[in-house]
Amino acid sequence: MDLRRRHAWDLTPAEAVALQRRLAAEVVADRPLDLAGVRLVAGVDVSVRDARSHAAVVVATFPDFRVVETVTALAPTPFPYVPGLLSFREGPVLEEAFARLRSEPDVFLFDGMGTAHPRRIGIASHMGLWLERPTIGVGKTRLVGRNAPLPEEKGAQVPLVHRGETIGAVVRTRTARNPLFISPGHLADIPGSVALVLACAPKYRLPEPIRLAHKAAGAFA
Protein backbone atom coordinates (compact mmCIF):
# COMPACT_ATOMS: atom_id res chain seq x y z
CA MET A 1 0.00 0.00 0.00
CA ASP A 2 1.28 3.43 -0.91
CA LEU A 3 1.86 5.87 1.94
CA ARG A 4 2.32 9.62 1.95
CA ARG A 5 5.46 9.85 4.08
CA ARG A 6 5.17 13.10 5.99
CA HIS A 7 8.32 13.36 8.12
CA ALA A 8 11.20 11.54 9.76
CA TRP A 9 10.59 9.79 13.07
CA ASP A 10 13.87 10.56 14.86
CA LEU A 11 12.62 13.52 16.91
CA THR A 12 12.94 14.61 20.50
CA PRO A 13 9.72 14.79 22.57
CA ALA A 14 9.72 18.60 22.25
CA GLU A 15 10.13 18.36 18.47
CA ALA A 16 7.38 15.74 18.35
CA VAL A 17 4.94 18.03 20.16
CA ALA A 18 5.77 20.91 17.80
CA LEU A 19 5.19 18.63 14.80
CA GLN A 20 1.85 17.48 16.20
CA ARG A 21 0.70 21.08 16.49
CA ARG A 22 1.53 21.69 12.83
CA LEU A 23 -0.01 18.48 11.53
CA ALA A 24 -3.20 18.82 13.58
CA ALA A 25 -4.32 21.63 11.28
CA GLU A 26 -4.49 19.12 8.41
CA VAL A 27 -6.68 16.56 10.17
CA VAL A 28 -10.24 16.32 8.80
CA ALA A 29 -12.52 15.16 11.61
CA ASP A 30 -15.93 16.18 10.29
CA ARG A 31 -16.32 14.14 7.10
CA PRO A 32 -19.27 11.71 7.23
CA LEU A 33 -18.30 8.10 6.67
CA ASP A 34 -19.96 6.24 3.81
CA LEU A 35 -20.94 3.28 5.97
CA ALA A 36 -22.91 1.67 3.17
CA GLY A 37 -19.77 1.60 1.06
CA VAL A 38 -17.52 -0.06 3.65
CA ARG A 39 -16.41 -3.51 2.51
CA LEU A 40 -12.99 -3.93 4.17
CA VAL A 41 -12.04 -2.76 7.66
CA ALA A 42 -8.49 -2.93 9.02
CA GLY A 43 -7.62 -3.31 12.68
CA VAL A 44 -4.28 -1.83 13.80
CA ASP A 45 -2.34 -2.64 16.97
CA VAL A 46 1.24 -2.68 18.26
CA SER A 47 2.65 -4.84 21.05
CA VAL A 48 5.90 -3.91 22.80
CA ARG A 49 8.12 -6.42 24.55
CA ASP A 50 11.80 -6.25 25.55
CA ALA A 51 12.28 -2.94 23.69
CA ARG A 52 10.91 -4.44 20.47
CA SER A 53 7.70 -3.34 18.78
CA HIS A 54 5.53 -5.79 16.85
CA ALA A 55 2.90 -4.19 14.64
CA ALA A 56 -0.06 -5.99 13.13
CA VAL A 57 -2.64 -4.87 10.59
CA VAL A 58 -5.52 -7.27 10.00
CA VAL A 59 -7.91 -6.62 7.13
CA ALA A 60 -11.35 -8.19 7.44
CA THR A 61 -14.55 -8.10 5.44
CA PHE A 62 -17.42 -6.02 6.76
CA PRO A 63 -19.87 -6.85 8.24
CA ASP A 64 -18.91 -10.53 8.66
CA PHE A 65 -15.22 -10.11 9.62
CA ARG A 66 -13.61 -12.78 7.46
CA VAL A 67 -9.86 -12.20 7.48
CA VAL A 68 -8.56 -11.15 4.08
CA GLU A 69 -4.98 -10.27 4.99
CA THR A 70 -2.68 -10.04 7.99
CA VAL A 71 0.64 -8.19 7.85
CA THR A 72 3.15 -7.70 10.65
CA ALA A 73 6.42 -5.88 11.19
CA LEU A 74 9.01 -6.10 13.96
CA ALA A 75 11.48 -3.37 14.89
CA PRO A 76 13.32 -1.91 17.89
CA THR A 77 11.14 0.46 19.89
CA PRO A 78 12.55 3.89 18.99
CA PHE A 79 10.83 6.30 21.38
CA PRO A 80 10.08 6.37 25.11
CA TYR A 81 6.56 6.06 26.44
CA VAL A 82 5.26 9.62 26.70
CA PRO A 83 1.50 10.21 27.10
CA GLY A 84 0.20 11.96 24.00
CA LEU A 85 3.16 10.92 21.82
CA LEU A 86 2.22 7.30 21.09
CA SER A 87 2.48 7.77 17.33
CA PHE A 88 6.22 8.45 17.60
CA ARG A 89 6.68 5.20 19.51
CA GLU A 90 4.55 3.08 17.19
CA GLY A 91 4.62 5.00 13.91
CA PRO A 92 7.92 3.65 12.52
CA VAL A 93 6.95 -0.01 12.84
CA LEU A 94 3.44 0.73 11.57
CA GLU A 95 4.94 2.40 8.51
CA GLU A 96 6.69 -0.89 7.74
CA ALA A 97 3.51 -2.90 8.23
CA PHE A 98 1.33 -0.60 6.12
CA ALA A 99 3.84 -0.73 3.28
CA ARG A 100 3.34 -4.53 3.14
CA LEU A 101 -0.42 -4.35 2.70
CA ARG A 102 -1.78 -5.53 -0.60
CA SER A 103 -5.41 -4.87 0.31
CA GLU A 104 -7.01 -1.43 0.17
CA PRO A 105 -9.09 -1.10 3.36
CA ASP A 106 -11.95 1.36 3.36
CA VAL A 107 -11.42 2.27 7.03
CA PHE A 108 -8.67 1.67 9.61
CA LEU A 109 -9.50 1.16 13.29
CA PHE A 110 -6.60 1.97 15.63
CA ASP A 111 -6.03 0.77 19.17
CA GLY A 112 -5.42 4.35 20.32
CA MET A 113 -6.80 7.83 20.04
CA GLY A 114 -7.88 10.01 17.17
CA THR A 115 -8.97 13.55 17.99
CA ALA A 116 -9.55 12.58 21.65
CA HIS A 117 -6.08 13.89 22.33
CA PRO A 118 -4.76 17.09 23.96
CA ARG A 119 -3.52 18.38 20.60
CA ARG A 120 -6.25 16.62 18.58
CA ILE A 121 -3.80 14.32 16.82
CA GLY A 122 -3.61 10.89 18.37
CA ILE A 123 -2.14 7.96 16.51
CA ALA A 124 -5.26 7.37 14.39
CA SER A 125 -5.24 10.99 13.22
CA HIS A 126 -1.47 11.12 12.74
CA MET A 127 -1.23 7.90 10.72
CA GLY A 128 -4.39 8.85 8.86
CA LEU A 129 -2.41 11.67 7.27
CA TRP A 130 0.07 9.06 6.03
CA LEU A 131 -2.61 6.60 4.86
CA GLU A 132 -4.93 9.23 3.35
CA ARG A 133 -7.83 6.93 4.21
CA PRO A 134 -10.56 7.18 6.85
CA THR A 135 -9.21 6.26 10.27
CA ILE A 136 -10.86 5.92 13.69
CA GLY A 137 -9.35 5.96 17.17
CA VAL A 138 -10.62 3.39 19.65
CA GLY A 139 -9.18 4.08 23.09
CA LYS A 140 -9.62 1.69 26.01
CA THR A 141 -8.86 4.36 28.62
CA ARG A 142 -9.40 8.10 28.78
CA LEU A 143 -6.55 10.37 27.69
CA VAL A 144 -8.30 13.74 28.01
CA GLY A 145 -11.82 15.07 28.35
CA ARG A 146 -14.90 14.73 30.53
CA ASN A 147 -18.31 13.20 30.00
CA ALA A 148 -21.74 12.94 31.56
CA PRO A 149 -22.76 9.69 33.29
CA LEU A 150 -23.08 6.84 30.83
CA PRO A 151 -25.98 4.37 30.99
CA GLU A 152 -25.04 0.73 31.46
CA GLU A 153 -26.66 -0.77 28.38
CA LYS A 154 -24.83 -1.64 25.18
CA GLY A 155 -24.98 1.17 22.64
CA ALA A 156 -25.18 3.94 25.21
CA GLN A 157 -23.05 6.95 24.29
CA VAL A 158 -22.32 10.45 25.57
CA PRO A 159 -20.09 13.21 24.18
CA LEU A 160 -16.46 13.41 25.28
CA VAL A 161 -15.66 17.09 25.83
CA HIS A 162 -12.32 18.83 26.33
CA ARG A 163 -11.89 22.60 26.74
CA GLY A 164 -15.42 23.20 25.51
CA GLU A 165 -14.95 21.10 22.34
CA THR A 166 -16.57 17.74 21.62
CA ILE A 167 -13.62 15.55 20.68
CA GLY A 168 -15.27 12.13 20.55
CA ALA A 169 -17.76 9.91 22.34
CA VAL A 170 -17.75 7.56 25.32
CA VAL A 171 -19.51 4.41 24.14
CA ARG A 172 -20.65 1.23 25.83
CA THR A 173 -20.04 -1.67 23.46
CA ARG A 174 -21.13 -4.28 26.03
CA THR A 175 -23.68 -3.93 28.78
CA ALA A 176 -22.15 -3.20 32.19
CA ARG A 177 -18.60 -3.29 30.83
CA ASN A 178 -16.09 -0.45 30.71
CA PRO A 179 -16.75 1.90 27.78
CA LEU A 180 -14.52 2.79 24.86
CA PHE A 181 -13.36 6.29 23.96
CA ILE A 182 -14.08 6.67 20.26
CA SER A 183 -13.00 9.57 18.07
CA PRO A 184 -12.43 10.23 14.39
CA GLY A 185 -8.86 9.93 13.26
CA HIS A 186 -8.81 11.47 9.79
CA LEU A 187 -11.43 11.72 7.02
CA ALA A 188 -14.19 10.64 9.41
CA ASP A 189 -16.63 12.18 11.88
CA ILE A 190 -17.87 11.31 15.36
CA PRO A 191 -21.29 9.82 14.45
CA GLY A 192 -19.86 7.66 11.69
CA SER A 193 -16.96 6.54 13.86
CA VAL A 194 -19.30 5.48 16.66
CA ALA A 195 -21.67 3.71 14.28
CA LEU A 196 -18.88 1.73 12.64
CA VAL A 197 -17.26 0.71 15.92
CA LEU A 198 -20.61 -0.50 17.29
CA ALA A 199 -21.21 -2.45 14.09
CA CYS A 200 -17.76 -4.03 14.48
CA ALA A 201 -18.44 -5.08 18.09
CA PRO A 202 -21.32 -7.58 17.93
CA LYS A 203 -20.02 -9.80 20.76
CA TYR A 204 -17.04 -8.31 22.56
CA ARG A 205 -16.00 -5.01 24.11
CA LEU A 206 -13.34 -4.38 21.45
CA PRO A 207 -14.33 -4.18 17.78
CA GLU A 208 -13.48 -7.38 15.97
CA PRO A 209 -10.78 -5.97 13.63
CA ILE A 210 -8.85 -4.61 16.63
CA ARG A 211 -9.29 -7.91 18.50
CA LEU A 212 -7.77 -9.71 15.53
CA ALA A 213 -4.90 -7.22 15.29
CA HIS A 214 -4.25 -7.43 19.04
CA LYS A 215 -3.92 -11.20 18.81
CA ALA A 216 -1.59 -10.97 15.80
CA ALA A 217 0.56 -8.23 17.38
CA GLY A 218 0.97 -10.25 20.55
CA ALA A 219 2.30 -13.28 18.68
CA PHE A 220 6.01 -12.45 18.84
CA ALA A 221 8.25 -14.85 16.94
Side-chain angles (χ1 to χ4, degrees):
M1 183 176 183
D2 293 332
L3 295 174
R4 183 186 178 197
R5 195 170 194 275
R6 302 302 307 274
H7 55 79
W9 292 109
D10 55 341
L11 303 176
T12 66
E15 291 170 335
V17 168
L19 177 62
Q20 284 183 328
R21 295 189 190 281
R22 293 197 301 272
L23 291 178
E26 300 182 35
V27 171
V28 176
D30 59 358
R31 180 176 296 182
L33 277 173
D34 177 18
L35 296 177
V38 175
R39 296 292 180 267
L40 295 178
V41 179
V44 183
D45 195 15
V46 176
S47 181
V48 177
R49 185 186 306 164
D50 298 328
R52 295 187 305 159
S53 294
H54 191 222
V57 183
V58 178
V59 182
T61 57
F62 179 81
D64 52 353
F65 311 116
R66 291 179 291 105
V67 175
V68 172
E69 183 180 11
T70 299
V71 298
T72 61
L74 183 64
T77 303
F79 198 85
Y81 175 74
V82 179
L85 296 180
L86 181 66
S87 54
F88 296 91
R89 184 173 170 87
E90 299 186 354
V93 72
L94 284 174
E95 181 184 354
E96 290 188 30
F98 290 137
R100 295 173 184 173
L101 272 180
R102 296 183 179 180
S103 305
E104 297 285 342
D106 298 299
V107 186
F108 291 78
L109 302 183
F110 282 75
D111 184 350
M113 298 300 181
T115 56
H117 179 277
R119 289 171 292 280
R120 309 297 185 259
I121 186 165
I123 190 166
S125 301
H126 194 152
M127 298 312 299
L129 295 173
W130 288 56
L131 291 161
E132 298 184 308
R133 296 291 178 93
T135 59
I136 296 170
V138 183
K140 297 189 287 292
T141 58
R142 181 192 313 272
L143 182 59
V144 293
R146 297 178 179 272
N147 61 274
L150 181 67
E152 291 290 316
E153 68 268 15
K154 177 177 179 175
Q157 56 184 279
V158 293
L160 180 65
V161 179
H162 182 237
R163 296 175 182 166
E165 179 183 359
T166 300
I167 58 173
V170 185
V171 181
R172 195 89 66 184
T173 52
R174 286 196 72 190
T175 297
R177 294 290 301 274
N178 289 337
L180 297 176
F181 298 85
I182 299 170
S183 57
H186 182 48
L187 303 178
D189 63 358
I190 294 172
S193 297
V194 170
L196 184 61
V197 169
L198 283 171
C200 287
K203 292 178 60 178
Y204 301 102
R205 178 182 177 232
L206 288 178
E208 193 62 20
I210 289 182
R211 275 174 35 84
L212 294 168
H214 181 72
K215 182 177 180 181
F220 273 78

PDB file of all heavy atoms in Angstrom, residues 164-180:
ATOM      1  N   GLY A 164     -14.237  22.705  26.194  1.00  0.00           N
ATOM      2  CA  GLY A 164     -15.416  23.199  25.514  1.00  0.00           C
ATOM      3  C   GLY A 164     -15.662  22.621  24.140  1.00  0.00           C
ATOM      4  O   GLY A 164     -16.628  23.016  23.466  1.00  0.00           O
ATOM      5  N   GLU A 165     -14.843  21.686  23.687  1.00  0.00           N
ATOM      6  CA  GLU A 165     -14.954  21.101  22.345  1.00  0.00           C
ATOM      7  C   GLU A 165     -15.296  19.621  22.456  1.00  0.00           C
ATOM      8  O   GLU A 165     -14.692  18.894  23.250  1.00  0.00           O
ATOM      9  CB  GLU A 165     -13.633  21.267  21.592  1.00  0.00           C
ATOM     10  CG  GLU A 165     -13.636  20.672  20.201  1.00  0.00           C
ATOM     11  CD  GLU A 165     -12.285  20.784  19.516  1.00  0.00           C
ATOM     12  OE1 GLU A 165     -11.340  21.340  20.127  1.00  0.00           O
ATOM     13  OE2 GLU A 165     -12.161  20.304  18.373  1.00  0.00           O
ATOM     14  N   THR A 166     -16.261  19.168  21.676  1.00  0.00           N
ATOM     15  CA  THR A 166     -16.573  17.741  21.620  1.00  0.00           C
ATOM     16  C   THR A 166     -15.537  17.054  20.756  1.00  0.00           C
ATOM     17  O   THR A 166     -15.423  17.344  19.558  1.00  0.00           O
ATOM     18  CB  THR A 166     -17.986  17.501  21.061  1.00  0.00           C
ATOM     19  OG1 THR A 166     -18.940  18.137  21.913  1.00  0.00           O
ATOM     20  CG2 THR A 166     -18.286  16.014  21.010  1.00  0.00           C
ATOM     21  N   ILE A 167     -14.762  16.165  21.369  1.00  0.00           N
ATOM     22  CA  ILE A 167     -13.624  15.551  20.677  1.00  0.00           C
ATOM     23  C   ILE A 167     -13.853  14.070  20.376  1.00  0.00           C
ATOM     24  O   ILE A 167     -12.996  13.431  19.760  1.00  0.00           O
ATOM     25  CB  ILE A 167     -12.336  15.708  21.505  1.00  0.00           C
ATOM     26  CG1 ILE A 167     -12.493  15.089  22.901  1.00  0.00           C
ATOM     27  CG2 ILE A 167     -11.952  17.186  21.601  1.00  0.00           C
ATOM     28  CD1 ILE A 167     -11.211  15.064  23.713  1.00  0.00           C
ATOM     29  N   GLY A 168     -14.987  13.540  20.786  1.00  0.00           N
ATOM     30  CA  GLY A 168     -15.268  12.129  20.552  1.00  0.00           C
ATOM     31  C   GLY A 168     -16.497  11.728  21.338  1.00  0.00           C
ATOM     32  O   GLY A 168     -17.325  12.572  21.708  1.00  0.00           O
ATOM     33  N   ALA A 169     -16.618  10.434  21.593  1.00  0.00           N
ATOM     34  CA  ALA A 169     -17.759   9.910  22.335  1.00  0.00           C
ATOM     35  C   ALA A 169     -17.291   8.787  23.251  1.00  0.00           C
ATOM     36  O   ALA A 169     -16.357   8.050  22.929  1.00  0.00           O
ATOM     37  CB  ALA A 169     -18.836   9.402  21.383  1.00  0.00           C
ATOM     38  N   VAL A 170     -17.955   8.689  24.394  1.00  0.00           N
ATOM     39  CA  VAL A 170     -17.750   7.563  25.316  1.00  0.00           C
ATOM     40  C   VAL A 170     -18.880   6.580  25.040  1.00  0.00           C
ATOM     41  O   VAL A 170     -20.057   6.947  25.123  1.00  0.00           O
ATOM     42  CB  VAL A 170     -17.761   8.032  26.779  1.00  0.00           C
ATOM     43  CG1 VAL A 170     -17.415   6.882  27.713  1.00  0.00           C
ATOM     44  CG2 VAL A 170     -16.789   9.189  26.970  1.00  0.00           C
ATOM     45  N   VAL A 171     -18.529   5.359  24.690  1.00  0.00           N
ATOM     46  CA  VAL A 171     -19.507   4.412  24.138  1.00  0.00           C
ATOM     47  C   VAL A 171     -19.419   3.081  24.861  1.00  0.00           C
ATOM     48  O   VAL A 171     -18.324   2.529  25.050  1.00  0.00           O
ATOM     49  CB  VAL A 171     -19.270   4.211  22.624  1.00  0.00           C
ATOM     50  CG1 VAL A 171     -20.297   3.245  22.044  1.00  0.00           C
ATOM     51  CG2 VAL A 171     -19.321   5.547  21.888  1.00  0.00           C
ATOM     52  N   ARG A 172     -20.580   2.550  25.210  1.00  0.00           N
ATOM     53  CA  ARG A 172     -20.654   1.234  25.835  1.00  0.00           C
ATOM     54  C   ARG A 172     -20.884   0.197  24.731  1.00  0.00           C
ATOM     55  O   ARG A 172     -21.929   0.176  24.097  1.00  0.00           O
ATOM     56  CB  ARG A 172     -21.808   1.193  26.826  1.00  0.00           C
ATOM     57  CG  ARG A 172     -21.780   0.024  27.781  1.00  0.00           C
ATOM     58  CD  ARG A 172     -21.020   0.313  29.032  1.00  0.00           C
ATOM     59  NE  ARG A 172     -21.655   1.348  29.861  1.00  0.00           N
ATOM     60  CZ  ARG A 172     -21.113   1.817  30.981  1.00  0.00           C
ATOM     61  NH1 ARG A 172     -19.939   1.353  31.398  1.00  0.00           N
ATOM     62  NH2 ARG A 172     -21.721   2.759  31.674  1.00  0.00           N
ATOM     63  N   THR A 173     -19.900  -0.642  24.488  1.00  0.00           N
ATOM     64  CA  THR A 173     -20.042  -1.673  23.457  1.00  0.00           C
ATOM     65  C   THR A 173     -20.524  -3.004  24.026  1.00  0.00           C
ATOM     66  O   THR A 173     -20.888  -3.900  23.264  1.00  0.00           O
ATOM     67  CB  THR A 173     -18.707  -1.898  22.726  1.00  0.00           C
ATOM     68  OG1 THR A 173     -17.672  -2.130  23.694  1.00  0.00           O
ATOM     69  CG2 THR A 173     -18.350  -0.705  21.864  1.00  0.00           C
ATOM     70  N   ARG A 174     -20.520  -3.132  25.359  1.00  0.00           N
ATOM     71  CA  ARG A 174     -21.129  -4.284  26.033  1.00  0.00           C
ATOM     72  C   ARG A 174     -21.801  -3.794  27.302  1.00  0.00           C
ATOM     73  O   ARG A 174     -21.254  -2.931  28.001  1.00  0.00           O
ATOM     74  CB  ARG A 174     -20.086  -5.350  26.396  1.00  0.00           C
ATOM     75  CG  ARG A 174     -19.575  -6.166  25.223  1.00  0.00           C
ATOM     76  CD  ARG A 174     -18.862  -7.420  25.701  1.00  0.00           C
ATOM     77  NE  ARG A 174     -19.800  -8.404  26.242  1.00  0.00           N
ATOM     78  CZ  ARG A 174     -19.431  -9.499  26.909  1.00  0.00           C
ATOM     79  NH1 ARG A 174     -18.153  -9.723  27.148  1.00  0.00           N
ATOM     80  NH2 ARG A 174     -20.334 -10.341  27.349  1.00  0.00           N
ATOM     81  N   THR A 175     -22.945  -4.344  27.603  1.00  0.00           N
ATOM     82  CA  THR A 175     -23.683  -3.931  28.781  1.00  0.00           C
ATOM     83  C   THR A 175     -22.855  -4.163  30.047  1.00  0.00           C
ATOM     84  O   THR A 175     -22.268  -5.241  30.220  1.00  0.00           O
ATOM     85  CB  THR A 175     -25.015  -4.692  28.866  1.00  0.00           C
ATOM     86  OG1 THR A 175     -25.810  -4.352  27.730  1.00  0.00           O
ATOM     87  CG2 THR A 175     -25.782  -4.338  30.142  1.00  0.00           C
ATOM     88  N   ALA A 176     -22.803  -3.134  30.877  1.00  0.00           N
ATOM     89  CA  ALA A 176     -22.150  -3.197  32.190  1.00  0.00           C
ATOM     90  C   ALA A 176     -20.647  -3.453  32.107  1.00  0.00           C
ATOM     91  O   ALA A 176     -20.034  -3.847  33.093  1.00  0.00           O
ATOM     92  CB  ALA A 176     -22.810  -4.247  33.082  1.00  0.00           C
ATOM     93  N   ARG A 177     -20.047  -3.197  30.969  1.00  0.00           N
ATOM     94  CA  ARG A 177     -18.597  -3.292  30.834  1.00  0.00           C
ATOM     95  C   ARG A 177     -18.024  -1.891  30.639  1.00  0.00           C
ATOM     96  O   ARG A 177     -18.720  -0.962  30.258  1.00  0.00           O
ATOM     97  CB  ARG A 177     -18.219  -4.181  29.634  1.00  0.00           C
ATOM     98  CG  ARG A 177     -18.606  -5.634  29.787  1.00  0.00           C
ATOM     99  CD  ARG A 177     -17.759  -6.350  30.842  1.00  0.00           C
ATOM    100  NE  ARG A 177     -16.334  -6.307  30.502  1.00  0.00           N
ATOM    101  CZ  ARG A 177     -15.726  -7.186  29.704  1.00  0.00           C
ATOM    102  NH1 ARG A 177     -16.418  -8.161  29.136  1.00  0.00           N
ATOM    103  NH2 ARG A 177     -14.429  -7.088  29.474  1.00  0.00           N
ATOM    104  N   ASN A 178     -16.717  -1.753  30.881  1.00  0.00           N
ATOM    105  CA  ASN A 178     -16.088  -0.446  30.710  1.00  0.00           C
ATOM    106  C   ASN A 178     -16.288   0.065  29.285  1.00  0.00           C
ATOM    107  O   ASN A 178     -16.200  -0.708  28.322  1.00  0.00           O
ATOM    108  CB  ASN A 178     -14.599  -0.531  31.016  1.00  0.00           C
ATOM    109  CG  ASN A 178     -14.320  -0.728  32.485  1.00  0.00           C
ATOM    110  OD1 ASN A 178     -15.156  -0.393  33.331  1.00  0.00           O
ATOM    111  ND2 ASN A 178     -13.160  -1.263  32.812  1.00  0.00           N
ATOM    112  N   PRO A 179     -16.510   1.359  29.123  1.00  0.00           N
ATOM    113  CA  PRO A 179     -16.749   1.901  27.784  1.00  0.00           C
ATOM    114  C   PRO A 179     -15.457   2.076  27.001  1.00  0.00           C
ATOM    115  O   PRO A 179     -14.351   1.939  27.532  1.00  0.00           O
ATOM    116  CB  PRO A 179     -17.389   3.257  28.074  1.00  0.00           C
ATOM    117  CG  PRO A 179     -16.752   3.673  29.374  1.00  0.00           C
ATOM    118  CD  PRO A 179     -16.607   2.396  30.164  1.00  0.00           C
ATOM    119  N   LEU A 180     -15.631   2.403  25.726  1.00  0.00           N
ATOM    120  CA  LEU A 180     -14.523   2.785  24.862  1.00  0.00           C
ATOM    121  C   LEU A 180     -14.616   4.286  24.585  1.00  0.00           C
ATOM    122  O   LEU A 180     -15.685   4.888  24.649  1.00  0.00           O
ATOM    123  CB  LEU A 180     -14.577   2.014  23.541  1.00  0.00           C
ATOM    124  CG  LEU A 180     -14.425   0.503  23.631  1.00  0.00           C
ATOM    125  CD1 LEU A 180     -14.608  -0.133  22.250  1.00  0.00           C
ATOM    126  CD2 LEU A 180     -13.092   0.101  24.224  1.00  0.00           C
TER     127      LEU A 180
END
